[in-house]
Amino acid sequence: MRTSIATVCLSGSLTEKLRACAEAGFDGVEIMDADLTVAYESPEEIRELCRRLGLTIDMFQPFRDVEGVEESLFSDTLRRAEVKFEVMRRLGADLVLVCSNVASATIPDDEVAADQLGRLADLAADYGIRVAYEALAWGRFVDDYRHAWRLVEMADRPNLGTCLDSFHILSRGHDPSAVEEIDGDRIFFLQLADAPQLDMDVLSWSRHHRLFPGEGDFDLTGFLAHVWRAGYRGPLSLEVFNDVFRQTDVDRTASHARRSLSWLADRTAVANDWRDGRLAAVQSPREIDFVEVAGDELATFDSMLEKLGFAFRGRHRSKQVRLWSFGDSRIILNEEVRAQEPRLSAIGILVDDAEAAVRRSAALGAPSVFRRTYSGEQDLQAVSSPDGTEVYWNDIRAEDGWVGEFEGGVDSVSVGGRSVIDHINLSYPWQEFSEAVLFCNSVLGLSMDDPADVPGPTGLVRSQVMRAEDSAIRLPLNMAPPTAPLPARHIAVACDDVVGLARTARDRGLDFLRVPDNYYDDLAARFALDEDRLAELRELDLLYDRVEGGEFIHFYTPTVGGVFLEVVERRGGYEGYGAPNAPVRLAAQR
């Protein structure tokens, strides 16, 4: 599989983009005309830089407003084309993208359009250039890839083919199965982009809201399968117009983009039972093995966990870390990370095959994490997520493995009560959110629930839950408003009796996040709760939600550094996260 990317996807100068693409592992690039125009380097210098970086120049683009025009206009089109073809010769590019005409001067005459495309191809042939004709979703008269292919067939030139773009096809709701009717040798290029389903004009949708594969709602695995069945064997290339990606760090975005193509090829191969393009199989998470909080002055966490009923399991025999557990909920406090306020630093995941999980992570570009391991200690392998949070893979139950490395605390027999890590709430700035979604999807194998917007005191917080099919892992991802501070992350622990646990913890002196009395007045209006139950919730600062008979009762601890805890109880099959209560929590924490 060869990979490519349009330089329009990335921030920075053309040379910065090219170096980032090479570092991320792309094989080639589509050079945008606008990027070359503003570069101080000559076409020859860009050509030589690509050669040194090991990048092929797969396409030069775009060339616009060609077909279906009056002859006087077309004469000027050929003049423009000849100038650009000379630039391409100097650049060493032999494929040009021609977009379907969007100008008002266009006439709806296929014979004229095909004739003019053919004459453009004849001129291109003089320069050794091939022409890839693409139907824009907002083209004046050609907005369907099937129409574009008919014009290519009518023009009948060996150096004239078509370019297929997933956005232009899927955004219009066109059936992609007819792609298989196109001669694969005449599909000169393939451009890929995902996108959320939005109700807006297709041009604005395209220019501002495209995403990398795996981040949106398009069926790109089905689309790519049709293209491959047609016989296309060229590169998989990304053309993603997105306001965020044009502003973010170029190296990080290029790595993010490359990961999306590996994910797409793998998912397409798996869906069609093909061998080519497959990565190591996704390891379905069995449970959260542990969550780690790292930083200075973690004594407040020790006190908080003890008051919540966690048992101290001891200190690690070779590292400055300690373990607390409550049932199957395990929280590690790591003081080896200095000069930082407490933060959620790592997540351990129990899977069937840790080695396979590591191989898949590496193939998707997740960097490995060094962990010092001494003789007799379990070798837990880890990768770093894009924001630096470490993910540890384990296929040995904790109590049979790494837990035995902690000394000086109670043993497992003394740890009572049923508890699991219910979910881990992770917050991101706006520019890192899509990258986090793709990492969870591709590396962790989690699927997306429907997103939701949560009102807070500093603006709307977008929430996207990523979870395993059996909900063994739930990761709500929250995107902070652009000008707002990043919300703290939190660990939610599930138990069987949140009221009893809250009362015991309160008696031990644990302060909860204080909930305003007005919340309970509103709760009385929303739900027919009896007075005694409402009074109990109010007394303990508990929050409540109910959906279709299922109930959710929970409370929050104070925030320590950048982390806090939540204790939850789910009753009657409740599957949510208490979303109506999130604005109350956000306001109270502020």
Side-chain angles (χ1 to χ4, degrees), residues 3 32 45 67 98 108 138 141 154 317 459 493:
T3 60
M32 296 292 291
E45 288 172 318
E67 81 289 3
V98 172
W138 54 92
F141 295 113
M154 289 171 63
R317 61 189 181 214
V493 177

Side-chain angles (χ1 to χ4, degrees), residues 231-549:
Y232 175 74
R233 294 298 178 262
L236 306 188
S237 190
L238 296 166
E239 188 190 46
V240 175
F241 297 90
N242 184 290
D243 298 338
V244 174
F245 302 151
R246 295 297 300 273
Q247 301 175 61
T248 50
D249 177 78
V250 62
D251 295 302
R252 188 162 165 176
T253 305
S255 296
H256 171 193
R258 182 62 182 82
R259 177 178 295 128
S260 75
L261 285 182
S262 296
W263 171 87
L264 177 58
D266 173 61
R267 293 297 86 199
T268 305
V270 170
N272 293 276
D273 199 26
W274 297 334
R275 294 187 63 183
D276 290 345
R278 282 201 180 195
L279 306 176
V282 174
Q283 293 294 301
S284 298
R286 288 159 54 188
E287 63 181 58
I288 295 288
D289 197 26
F290 66 85
V291 184
E292 180 184 272
V293 176
D296 284 335
E297 301 178 2
L298 293 174
T300 302
F301 256 98
D302 288 300
S303 174
M304 191 159 60
L305 291 169
E306 183 178 30
K307 290 171 182 176
L308 285 171
F310 278 72
F312 180 61
R313 306 298 301 279
R315 296 180 178 276
H316 196 272
R317 61 189 181 214
S318 67
K319 302 177 179 67
Q320 296 182 55
V321 299
R322 49 193 182 272
L323 171 64
W324 292 84
S325 69
F326 178 21
D328 288 325
S329 298
R330 288 172 287 273
I331 297 179
I332 292 175
L333 303 182
N334 181 352
E335 286 190 326
E336 292 195 328
V337 180
R338 295 295 185 180
Q340 292 185 14
E341 68 175 13
R343 61 183 178 84
L344 199 158
S345 56
I347 301 171
I349 299 177
L350 188 67
V351 294
D352 290 330
D353 187 342
E355 287 290 343
V358 171
R359 289 198 305 273
R360 180 179 177 83
S361 302
L364 288 162
S368 62
V369 172
F370 171 75
R371 176 180 179 269
R372 188 177 70 254
T373 303
Y374 293 100
S375 177
E377 296 178 357
Q378 185 180 348
D379 184 16
L380 291 176
Q381 298 189 62
V383 297
S384 179
S385 67
D387 73 319
T389 302
E390 297 173 355
V391 177
Y392 287 82
W393 304 107
N394 186 17
D395 50 18
I396 302 172
R397 283 192 56 83
E399 297 293 339
D400 300 324
W402 60 266
V403 168
E405 300 166 17
F406 288 81
E407 302 170 343
V410 299
D411 60 26
S412 61
V413 177
S414 305
V415 181
R418 189 203 72 87
S419 174
V420 296
I421 300 295
D422 185 86
H423 61 275
I424 304 170
N425 198 306
L426 305 174
S427 54
Y428 295 91
W430 59 273
Q431 69 271 22
E432 297 179 8
F433 188 75
S434 294
E435 186 180 24
V437 170
L438 178 62
F439 182 85
C440 291
N441 193 344
S442 61
V443 177
L444 305 186
L446 306 181
S447 58
M448 294 182 287
D449 286 353
D450 292 334
D453 290 329
V454 178
T458 57
L460 286 178
V461 175
R462 183 186 179 195
S463 181
Q464 174 70 74
V465 175
M466 309 294 297
R467 65 172 176 172
E469 187 174 346
D470 61 357
S471 297
I473 292 184
R474 310 174 198 233
L475 300 180
L477 311 183
N478 293 328
M479 180 174 68
T483 59
L486 195 64
R489 295 179 166 191
H490 78 263
I491 305 161
V493 177
C495 67
D496 287 331
D497 180 13
V498 71
V499 175
L501 190 152
R503 193 173 296 282
T504 300
R506 176 70 58 86
D507 292 343
R508 291 172 176 165
L510 180 62
D511 291 326
F512 302 162
L513 185 69
R514 185 169 174 268
V515 180
D517 283 343
N518 293 334
Y519 166 78
Y520 297 100
D521 294 336
D522 180 68
L523 203 61
R526 288 194 289 133
F527 304 111
L529 301 176
D530 64 64
E531 292 186 6
D532 289 343
R533 191 175 193 195
L534 192 63
E536 182 177 62
L537 296 173
R538 189 192 302 264
E539 174 198 358
L540 296 173
D541 285 304
L542 298 176
L543 296 104
Y544 177 90
D545 189 33
R546 184 170 67 209
V547 177
E548 297 178 354

Side-chain angles (χ1 to χ4, degrees), residues 40-59:
Y40 285 100
E41 296 78 12
S42 68
E44 291 83 358
E45 288 172 318
I46 294 298
R47 177 180 183 170
E48 176 59 19
L49 176 60
C50 288
R51 187 195 66 77
R52 293 200 308 269
L53 292 172
L55 294 171
T56 56
I57 300 176
D58 294 330
M59 189 161 68

Side-chain angles (χ1 to χ4, degrees), residues 555-577:
F555 69 87
Y556 300 100
T557 71
T559 302
V560 180
V563 190
F564 62 96
L565 302 179
E566 178 185 10
V567 181
V568 311
E569 180 184 351
R570 297 177 181 273
R571 300 176 179 175
Y574 183 98
E575 285 296 315
Y577 303 87

Side-chain angles (χ1 to χ4, degrees), residues 199-242:
D199 185 13
M200 64 188 308
D201 72 277
V202 71
L203 177 57
S204 298
W205 188 8
S206 173
R207 285 286 177 260
H208 303 287
H209 301 286
R210 294 196 193 195
L211 297 169
F212 292 124
E215 299 172 345
D217 298 316
F218 287 170
D219 178 15
L220 289 186
T221 58
F223 174 80
L224 181 56
H226 290 306
V227 177
W228 274 344
R229 289 193 195 103
Y232 175 74
R233 294 298 178 262
L236 306 188
S237 190
L238 296 166
E239 188 190 46
V240 175
F241 297 90
N242 184 290

Side-chain angles (χ1 to χ4, degrees), residues 157-186:
R157 301 297 199 280
N159 67 324
L160 176 64
T162 190
C163 174
L164 299 176
D165 183 308
S166 63
F167 182 87
H168 295 308
I169 294 171
L170 300 179
S171 66
R172 293 296 301 265
H174 296 317
D175 181 0
S177 64
V179 165
E180 297 184 36
E181 299 171 12
I182 300 175
D183 179 355
D185 292 334
R186 304 294 295 282

